[in-house]
Amino acid sequence: MSQTFVGMPSFPKNAAKAVQDSQLRFNLRKATHTIRGKRAAVVGELPDWAELRQAGKAIKDHTLRHLDEYLLQLEAAVSAAGGTVHWAKDAAEANRIVAGLVKATGEREVVKVKSMATQEIGLNEALEAEGIKAYETDLAELIVQLGDDWPSHILVPAIHRNRAEIREIFLAHMPDAPPDLTDEPRALAEAARLHLRERFLRAKVAISGANFMIAESGTLVVLESEGNGRMCLTLPETLISVVGIEKLLPTWRDLEVFLQLLPRSSTGERMNPYTSMWTGSVEGQDFHLVLLDNGRTDVLADEIGRQALRCIRCSACLNVCPVYERAGGHAYGSVYPGPIGAILTPQLRGMDTELDRSLPFASSLCGACYEVCPVAIDIPSVLVDLRAKARHPRTERAGMAAAGWVFNRSARLARAQRFGGRMRRLVPKRLPGPLSGWTDTRDLPDIPKDSFRAWWNRTEGGTR
């Protein structure tokens, strides 16, 4: 995955810093609650929402079980329509392919429509190293790029910024921004529109992702709300789409389910303003499709974790997550923040770093993410599974081994309970040494004088 976040501290350290930023917490709360309310309203309009959700899950599961067959079918369909398909094993290979395709055109700049896959592989940085400038055209991505920032939300990458902050970014980093620019949304959008229009008209190469790919026809689908995607997909002479292999759907009929699930779950709309579809090279455009693995086949091999590949990047789980609402997206150290990032990132990147090992623990396991997921990803179950696989500190392993030894015999447990009851007044509210990590974030419950078993024996179950 992208090297942008390598070397970041663990999630608890990042979150501890983030929760001290009152402006960030205000921005996050306002935005997530607004989107959450809109989603609940439009989902409530559909009496068959539960059935749609199960249909989406079933389609995705079927596709993942037969992914090898559908990928070959997609390649044949795209090739038959005049497109060229490239296979990328990892981020380095994908970046090498894209950079080579751009340099072959002789161009030194490209326009981009929002693509999480290209953020995942660090494409902008790779292109810059090759002397190629990539211009983001999604409004929120433009704000992030101009501010030399990181995205913090799947749907709204600049969710951590308010209007006043965006105005300052535009005035400082957008040369053609009017000096009297206000922080009114209409004024900010107009300034961005004028800034981008000239780039759209002169660009010869565009880079996109895709929300879905249709195996039977070779069609790619992009859903967006601003119209910048339509400009990127149609005006340039060369279009390069970088798409994760899991974005596949077998048939056109399957797409109908997701065109209902995605807009309602992401932006809280009945349908999105712009749905662009293209098949191969259209009207003489040179089209290249880069199919990205980058750890996805390893995720697919995990019986529990593979359900993360059902994700359609709607961000509904972020908007209901109490941890994300308080810590924000940057704390996760990945382009995939929130609950879905907590299960996807450690599987794609592995858990070799302190940051990635900490992500499965960035959750209260309340289950709100599962309840709103339009493809029924059981995120809490995957989190628990990843926690078990993570490498734990020696002190924690020793503590669990000791607890297991005590719990393994009822007599040992009874003796430990009696001892704890006698020593209860000496137990501090904050445990010492390595154990302090537990009590720093949790209240240590009072130890009762009698264990339940002792109380039961003494009172005969409360009858005397």
Short mmCIF file of all heavy atoms in Angstrom, two decimals, residues 220-254:
data_model
loop_
_atom_site.label_atom_id
_atom_site.label_comp_id
_atom_site.label_asym_id
_atom_site.label_seq_id
_atom_site.Cartn_x
_atom_site.Cartn_y
_atom_site.Cartn_z
N LEU A 220 -17.03 -0.48 -17.44
CA LEU A 220 -16.64 0.10 -16.17
C LEU A 220 -17.66 1.16 -15.78
O LEU A 220 -18.25 1.81 -16.64
CB LEU A 220 -15.25 0.73 -16.24
CG LEU A 220 -14.07 -0.24 -15.97
CD1 LEU A 220 -13.93 -1.25 -17.09
CD2 LEU A 220 -12.78 0.54 -15.78
N VAL A 221 -17.87 1.32 -14.48
CA VAL A 221 -18.90 2.23 -13.96
C VAL A 221 -18.29 3.13 -12.89
O VAL A 221 -17.63 2.64 -11.97
CB VAL A 221 -20.09 1.44 -13.36
CG1 VAL A 221 -21.20 2.40 -12.93
CG2 VAL A 221 -20.62 0.41 -14.35
N VAL A 222 -18.52 4.43 -13.02
CA VAL A 222 -18.09 5.40 -12.02
C VAL A 222 -19.30 6.20 -11.55
O VAL A 222 -20.05 6.75 -12.38
CB VAL A 222 -17.01 6.36 -12.56
CG1 VAL A 222 -16.86 7.58 -11.66
CG2 VAL A 222 -15.67 5.64 -12.69
N LEU A 223 -19.51 6.25 -10.25
CA LEU A 223 -20.57 7.06 -9.64
C LEU A 223 -19.94 8.26 -8.96
O LEU A 223 -18.99 8.09 -8.18
CB LEU A 223 -21.37 6.24 -8.62
CG LEU A 223 -22.41 5.25 -9.15
CD1 LEU A 223 -21.75 4.09 -9.87
CD2 LEU A 223 -23.29 4.73 -8.02
N GLU A 224 -20.44 9.45 -9.24
CA GLU A 224 -19.90 10.66 -8.61
C GLU A 224 -20.96 11.75 -8.59
O GLU A 224 -22.03 11.60 -9.17
CB GLU A 224 -18.63 11.13 -9.32
CG GLU A 224 -18.66 11.06 -10.83
CD GLU A 224 -18.70 12.42 -11.47
OE1 GLU A 224 -18.62 13.43 -10.74
OE2 GLU A 224 -18.82 12.49 -12.70
N SER A 225 -20.65 12.84 -7.91
CA SER A 225 -21.67 13.85 -7.63
C SER A 225 -21.38 15.21 -8.22
O SER A 225 -22.23 16.10 -8.14
CB SER A 225 -21.83 14.02 -6.10
OG SER A 225 -22.20 12.81 -5.50
N GLU A 226 -20.20 15.41 -8.82
CA GLU A 226 -19.81 16.75 -9.22
C GLU A 226 -19.70 16.97 -10.73
O GLU A 226 -19.64 18.11 -11.18
CB GLU A 226 -18.47 17.10 -8.56
CG GLU A 226 -18.52 17.05 -7.04
CD GLU A 226 -17.14 17.17 -6.42
OE1 GLU A 226 -16.21 17.64 -7.12
OE2 GLU A 226 -16.98 16.81 -5.24
N GLY A 227 -19.63 15.91 -11.50
CA GLY A 227 -19.46 16.06 -12.94
C GLY A 227 -18.02 16.05 -13.38
O GLY A 227 -17.74 15.96 -14.58
N ASN A 228 -17.09 16.14 -12.43
CA ASN A 228 -15.67 16.11 -12.82
C ASN A 228 -15.29 14.75 -13.41
O ASN A 228 -14.44 14.67 -14.30
CB ASN A 228 -14.80 16.41 -11.60
CG ASN A 228 -14.96 15.38 -10.48
OD1 ASN A 228 -16.06 15.16 -10.00
ND2 ASN A 228 -13.87 14.75 -10.08
N GLY A 229 -15.94 13.70 -12.93
CA GLY A 229 -15.68 12.38 -13.48
C GLY A 229 -16.04 12.29 -14.94
O GLY A 229 -15.29 11.76 -15.76
N ARG A 230 -17.18 12.84 -15.29
CA ARG A 230 -17.62 12.84 -16.69
C ARG A 230 -16.60 13.56 -17.57
O ARG A 230 -16.30 13.14 -18.69
CB ARG A 230 -19.00 13.50 -16.77
CG ARG A 230 -19.67 13.43 -18.12
CD ARG A 230 -20.12 12.03 -18.48
NE ARG A 230 -20.95 11.39 -17.48
CZ ARG A 230 -22.28 11.54 -17.38
NH1 ARG A 230 -22.91 12.35 -18.20
NH2 ARG A 230 -22.95 10.87 -16.48
N MET A 231 -16.07 14.69 -17.07
CA MET A 231 -15.08 15.45 -17.83
C MET A 231 -13.79 14.64 -18.00
O MET A 231 -13.21 14.59 -19.10
CB MET A 231 -14.76 16.77 -17.11
CG MET A 231 -15.96 17.67 -16.90
SD MET A 231 -16.46 18.54 -18.39
CE MET A 231 -15.30 19.90 -18.38
N CYS A 232 -13.34 14.00 -16.94
CA CYS A 232 -12.10 13.22 -17.00
C CYS A 232 -12.24 12.01 -17.92
O CYS A 232 -11.29 11.63 -18.61
CB CYS A 232 -11.71 12.75 -15.61
SG CYS A 232 -10.99 14.02 -14.56
N LEU A 233 -13.41 11.41 -17.92
CA LEU A 233 -13.60 10.16 -18.65
C LEU A 233 -13.81 10.38 -20.14
O LEU A 233 -13.59 9.47 -20.94
CB LEU A 233 -14.80 9.40 -18.07
CG LEU A 233 -14.67 8.95 -16.61
CD1 LEU A 233 -15.99 8.41 -16.10
CD2 LEU A 233 -13.57 7.91 -16.46
N THR A 234 -14.25 11.56 -20.54
CA THR A 234 -14.63 11.77 -21.94
C THR A 234 -13.70 12.68 -22.73
O THR A 234 -13.52 12.48 -23.93
CB THR A 234 -16.06 12.35 -22.02
OG1 THR A 234 -16.11 13.58 -21.26
CG2 THR A 234 -17.08 11.38 -21.45
N LEU A 235 -13.11 13.69 -22.11
CA LEU A 235 -12.33 14.68 -22.86
C LEU A 235 -10.93 14.20 -23.26
O LEU A 235 -10.51 14.44 -24.39
CB LEU A 235 -12.24 15.98 -22.08
CG LEU A 235 -13.55 16.77 -21.93
CD1 LEU A 235 -13.31 18.01 -21.08
CD2 LEU A 235 -14.08 17.16 -23.29
N PRO A 236 -10.15 13.58 -22.38
CA PRO A 236 -8.78 13.21 -22.73
C PRO A 236 -8.70 12.15 -23.83
O PRO A 236 -9.63 11.36 -24.03
CB PRO A 236 -8.21 12.67 -21.41
CG PRO A 236 -9.06 13.28 -20.36
CD PRO A 236 -10.43 13.32 -20.96
N GLU A 237 -7.57 12.14 -24.52
CA GLU A 237 -7.35 11.18 -25.60
C GLU A 237 -6.98 9.80 -25.06
O GLU A 237 -7.19 8.79 -25.74
CB GLU A 237 -6.24 11.69 -26.53
CG GLU A 237 -6.60 13.00 -27.23
CD GLU A 237 -5.41 13.60 -27.97
OE1 GLU A 237 -4.32 12.97 -27.94
OE2 GLU A 237 -5.57 14.67 -28.57
N THR A 238 -6.39 9.77 -23.86
CA THR A 238 -6.00 8.50 -23.25
C THR A 238 -6.62 8.40 -21.86
O THR A 238 -6.52 9.34 -21.07
CB THR A 238 -4.47 8.39 -23.13
OG1 THR A 238 -3.88 8.47 -24.43
CG2 THR A 238 -4.07 7.08 -22.46
N LEU A 239 -7.26 7.29 -21.59
CA LEU A 239 -7.86 7.04 -20.28
C LEU A 239 -7.25 5.79 -19.68
O LEU A 239 -7.24 4.73 -20.30
CB LEU A 239 -9.38 6.87 -20.40
CG LEU A 239 -10.13 6.45 -19.13
CD1 LEU A 239 -9.96 7.50 -18.03
CD2 LEU A 239 -11.61 6.22 -19.43
N ILE A 240 -6.73 5.93 -18.45
CA ILE A 240 -6.13 4.81 -17.74
C ILE A 240 -6.93 4.60 -16.46
O ILE A 240 -7.02 5.50 -15.63
CB ILE A 240 -4.65 5.09 -17.38
CG1 ILE A 240 -3.86 5.44 -18.64
CG2 ILE A 240 -4.04 3.89 -16.66
CD1 ILE A 240 -2.48 6.02 -18.34
N SER A 241 -7.51 3.42 -16.29
CA SER A 241 -8.31 3.11 -15.11
C SER A 241 -7.58 2.07 -14.26
O SER A 241 -7.23 1.00 -14.76
CB SER A 241 -9.69 2.59 -15.49
OG SER A 241 -10.41 3.58 -16.21
N VAL A 242 -7.35 2.42 -12.99
CA VAL A 242 -6.70 1.51 -12.05
C VAL A 242 -7.76 1.01 -11.08
O VAL A 242 -8.34 1.79 -10.32
CB VAL A 242 -5.57 2.21 -11.28
CG1 VAL A 242 -4.86 1.23 -10.34
CG2 VAL A 242 -4.57 2.85 -12.24
N VAL A 243 -8.04 -0.30 -11.11
CA VAL A 243 -9.18 -0.84 -10.37
C VAL A 243 -8.78 -2.11 -9.63
O VAL A 243 -8.12 -2.98 -10.21
CB VAL A 243 -10.36 -1.14 -11.32
CG1 VAL A 243 -11.62 -1.47 -10.52
CG2 VAL A 243 -10.63 0.02 -12.27
N GLY A 244 -9.18 -2.21 -8.38
CA GLY A 244 -8.95 -3.43 -7.62
C GLY A 244 -9.74 -4.59 -8.20
O GLY A 244 -10.87 -4.42 -8.67
N ILE A 245 -9.16 -5.77 -8.15
CA ILE A 245 -9.79 -6.92 -8.80
C ILE A 245 -11.12 -7.31 -8.15
O ILE A 245 -11.92 -8.02 -8.76
CB ILE A 245 -8.85 -8.14 -8.81
CG1 ILE A 245 -8.39 -8.49 -7.39
CG2 ILE A 245 -7.64 -7.87 -9.69
CD1 ILE A 245 -7.54 -9.75 -7.30
N GLU A 246 -11.38 -6.83 -6.93
CA GLU A 246 -12.62 -7.20 -6.24
C GLU A 246 -13.81 -6.37 -6.67
O GLU A 246 -14.95 -6.65 -6.26
CB GLU A 246 -12.41 -7.08 -4.73
CG GLU A 246 -12.56 -5.68 -4.15
CD GLU A 246 -11.34 -4.78 -4.36
OE1 GLU A 246 -10.45 -5.16 -5.15
OE2 GLU A 246 -11.30 -3.72 -3.73
N LYS A 247 -13.62 -5.36 -7.53
CA LYS A 247 -14.71 -4.46 -7.93
C LYS A 247 -15.60 -5.07 -9.02
O LYS A 247 -16.44 -4.39 -9.61
CB LYS A 247 -14.13 -3.14 -8.44
CG LYS A 247 -13.43 -2.33 -7.37
CD LYS A 247 -14.39 -1.92 -6.26
CE LYS A 247 -13.74 -0.99 -5.26
NZ LYS A 247 -13.49 0.35 -5.80
N LEU A 248 -15.44 -6.35 -9.25
CA LEU A 248 -16.11 -7.03 -10.35
C LEU A 248 -17.53 -7.44 -10.01
O LEU A 248 -17.84 -7.83 -8.88
CB LEU A 248 -15.28 -8.27 -10.70
CG LEU A 248 -15.37 -8.86 -12.11
CD1 LEU A 248 -15.10 -7.82 -13.17
CD2 LEU A 248 -14.38 -10.01 -12.23
N LEU A 249 -18.42 -7.34 -11.01
CA LEU A 249 -19.77 -7.90 -10.95
C LEU A 249 -19.96 -8.77 -12.19
O LEU A 249 -19.49 -8.40 -13.27
CB LEU A 249 -20.84 -6.80 -10.92
CG LEU A 249 -20.84 -5.83 -9.73
CD1 LEU A 249 -21.92 -4.78 -9.92
CD2 LEU A 249 -21.04 -6.59 -8.43
N PRO A 250 -20.64 -9.89 -12.07
CA PRO A 250 -20.76 -10.77 -13.24
C PRO A 250 -21.57 -10.19 -14.39
O PRO A 250 -21.15 -10.27 -15.55
CB PRO A 250 -21.45 -12.02 -12.66
CG PRO A 250 -21.11 -12.01 -11.20
CD PRO A 250 -21.10 -10.55 -10.83
N THR A 251 -22.75 -9.61 -14.10
CA THR A 251 -23.67 -9.22 -15.18
C THR A 251 -24.24 -7.83 -14.96
O THR A 251 -24.19 -7.26 -13.88
CB THR A 251 -24.85 -10.22 -15.26
OG1 THR A 251 -25.69 -10.06 -14.09
CG2 THR A 251 -24.37 -11.66 -15.35
N TRP A 252 -24.84 -7.29 -16.02
CA TRP A 252 -25.54 -6.01 -15.96
C TRP A 252 -26.67 -6.06 -14.93
O TRP A 252 -26.94 -5.09 -14.23
CB TRP A 252 -26.13 -5.65 -17.33
CG TRP A 252 -25.20 -4.88 -18.19
CD1 TRP A 252 -24.46 -5.36 -19.24
CD2 TRP A 252 -24.89 -3.49 -18.10
NE1 TRP A 252 -23.71 -4.35 -19.78
CE2 TRP A 252 -23.96 -3.19 -19.10
CE3 TRP A 252 -25.32 -2.47 -17.25
CZ2 TRP A 252 -23.46 -1.91 -19.30
CZ3 TRP A 252 -24.81 -1.19 -17.44
CH2 TRP A 252 -23.89 -0.92 -18.45
N ARG A 253 -27.33 -7.19 -14.87
CA ARG A 253 -28.45 -7.31 -13.95
C ARG A 253 -28.00 -7.12 -12.50
O ARG A 253 -28.73 -6.55 -11.69
CB ARG A 253 -29.10 -8.68 -14.12
CG ARG A 253 -30.34 -8.89 -13.26
CD ARG A 253 -30.98 -10.24 -13.54
NE ARG A 253 -32.17 -10.43 -12.73
CZ ARG A 253 -32.93 -11.52 -12.78
NH1 ARG A 253 -32.61 -12.50 -13.60
NH2 ARG A 253 -34.00 -11.62 -12.00
N ASP A 254 -26.80 -7.57 -12.18
CA ASP A 254 -26.27 -7.41 -10.83
C ASP A 254 -26.08 -5.94 -10.47
O ASP A 254 -26.24 -5.54 -9.31
CB ASP A 254 -24.94 -8.14 -10.68
CG ASP A 254 -25.06 -9.63 -10.93
OD1 ASP A 254 -26.09 -10.22 -10.53
OD2 ASP A 254 -24.15 -10.22 -11.54
#
